[in-house]
Amino acid sequence: MERLVEGCYLEDVYGDLYAVKGLVHPPGRLYAVPRVIRAVKVKDLHAAVGYARAERPEYLFDDPYTGRVVVAVPHEFVRRGIRPSRRAVGPKGLTEAAEELAGHISGFADDFGFTGSLLTGFFGAEPDIDMVVYGGREAYEGLRRLRAEGVTSPVNKEVVHILLESRADTARAAEMLAIEPRKVLTGVFKGFLYTLKIVPQRFWENWGEVRCKPLKQVETVLKVVDDSEGFYTPGRYIVEGVAGGHRCREVVFFRSRFAETAVKGDRVMVRGLLERVEAGGETYYRINIGLNADDFIRVRGP
């Protein structure tokens, strides 16, 4: 089985398309969620997971790494993998803009491509540009330069409804819009909304050596002390504070909408799943956001 990671898709033996999640996977399986079911695009993450639970029980996996029952497609059910492509498919105006944006990105990134609808060919009523870059800080700084030079512009009132529609499965999405203008991972190019995820080339966790135990949903205020991995998907913020009676070390997320939300020194209100993590002979606590519809992270100020 070829290595498939965040930004890739797989087609299963039933002809459905799944978005691959994360960079590490259980032996013989791939973490993934349905995105195109019977040729119909599914945007809502929770509906997609519900479909897999109801219709594909063979994909459910009692995962010792996450401590949860998750969707993880066995290799024998994968018909083919689909990697991000430099060639966009779709309406002419959209693909021309997308490929022009790709030309700018090629100036500071080598490993990148189109994902989402521009890769699969399944579009909504108002398509946007979805891209993935496999890299590090240099890619993020390149995007910051494009914004500073006016090549891209912040999310505006003409496209914000598209962004909100894509995040309808996050209950507090509208509240989180306050910090959207400062993001360079989302914005506008040639009149089109673009969303871009930067996937780290290496993940900070190893599937075989880390074990998480979900404890309970918590909501708390934390201080961000390190944002150096906050622009990634998957990403994390190193934090200080207490959640559920435990000192919390980090906030982690596996959905790009939570990337680039906070910077060092910010105080953030966070709601998510408190987890106890055992790794490398130590135990610590973190909050995992994005697993539930009412999860959020919102900046409260320095």
Side-chain angles (χ1 to χ4, degrees):
M1 172 65 63
E2 61 179 326
R3 185 169 185 260
L4 299 175
V5 296
E6 185 82 31
C8 299
Y9 282 72
L10 65 86
E11 180 185 3
D12 74 356
V13 294
Y14 303 103
D16 294 333
L17 297 183
Y18 286 63
V20 178
K21 307 306 294 181
L23 287 94
V24 298
H25 302 281
R29 291 176 178 262
L30 291 167
Y31 294 124
V33 295
R35 279 293 178 246
V36 180
I37 301 170
R38 300 187 184 99
V40 176
K41 187 174 181 179
V42 179
K43 290 185 177 182
D44 187 301
L45 171 66
H46 309 293
V49 172
Y51 165 82
R53 289 181 180 275
E55 302 293 332
R56 301 287 181 254
E58 62 270 37
Y59 295 178
L60 300 184
F61 177 59
D62 190 358
D63 187 12
Y65 165 46
T66 64
R68 295 177 281 112
V69 175
V70 299
V71 180
V73 182
H75 288 176
E76 60 266 29
F77 287 87
V78 177
R79 179 176 293 165
R80 65 185 177 111
I82 307 172
R83 293 187 167 276
S85 173
R86 296 284 184 95
R87 171 173 259 174
V89 298
K92 183 178 180 181
L94 176 68
T95 58
E96 288 178 345
E99 290 175 358
E100 184 176 343
L101 179 57
H104 289 288
I105 291 172
S106 68
F108 52 79
D110 296 321
D111 191 1
F112 69 93
F114 300 112
T115 187
S117 298
L118 289 172
L119 177 65
T120 66
F122 290 90
F123 294 91
E126 296 182 272
D128 58 355
I129 299 171
D130 286 324
M131 300 186 71
V132 59
V133 175
Y134 299 99
R137 171 66 61 173
E138 68 282 356
Y140 182 60
E141 293 301 327
L143 290 169
R144 286 166 58 90
R145 287 194 299 273
L146 292 185
R147 179 63 54 82
E149 294 166 1
V151 176
T152 68
S153 57
V155 168
N156 56 39
K157 62 182 180 181
E158 282 75 30
V159 301
V160 70
H161 66 285
I162 307 174
L163 190 64
L164 282 175
E165 182 184 357
S166 71
R167 299 178 179 178
D169 55 1
T170 296
R172 304 273 187 101
E175 295 177 33
M176 292 169 56
L177 282 178
I179 51 83
E180 208 67 35
R182 81 181 188 185
K183 291 187 178 184
V184 298
L185 294 173
T186 57
V188 178
F189 180 77
K190 298 294 183 179
F192 291 100
L193 172 70
Y194 75 83
T195 57
L196 189 148
K197 64 178 73 174
I198 300 177
V199 176
Q201 293 177 327
R202 289 186 178 182
F203 191 41
W204 61 83
E205 293 179 354
N206 181 296
W207 186 91
E209 298 174 358
V210 178
R211 293 294 178 260
C212 302
K213 180 173 179 56
L215 299 179
K216 59 182 177 179
Q217 285 291 113
V218 293
E219 185 172 318
T220 189
V221 176
L222 303 166
K223 182 178 180 180
V224 177
V225 297
D226 186 343
D227 65 354
S228 61
E229 295 172 301
F231 62 86
Y232 285 124
T233 301
R236 64 176 173 174
Y237 302 103
I238 307 301
V239 298
E240 292 178 344
V242 175
H246 300 282
R247 186 165 298 280
C248 187
R249 177 189 291 190
E250 62 188 22
V251 172
V252 300
F253 55 89
F254 294 82
R255 307 188 73 183
S256 59
R257 66 192 58 184
F258 300 110
E260 202 187 10
T261 296
V263 297
K264 183 178 179 180
D266 279 345
R267 292 173 67 248
V268 291
M269 175 70 78
V270 177
R271 180 174 175 80
L273 179 64
L274 180 66
E275 299 177 327
R276 185 176 72 239
V277 183
E278 297 179 358
E282 64 173 338
T283 299
Y284 62 92
Y285 295 86
R286 72 183 185 190
I287 299 177
N288 189 336
I289 57 174
L291 299 174
N292 294 286
D294 57 355
D295 288 0
F296 68 90
I297 177 170
R298 188 171 70 244
V299 177
R300 295 191 59 174

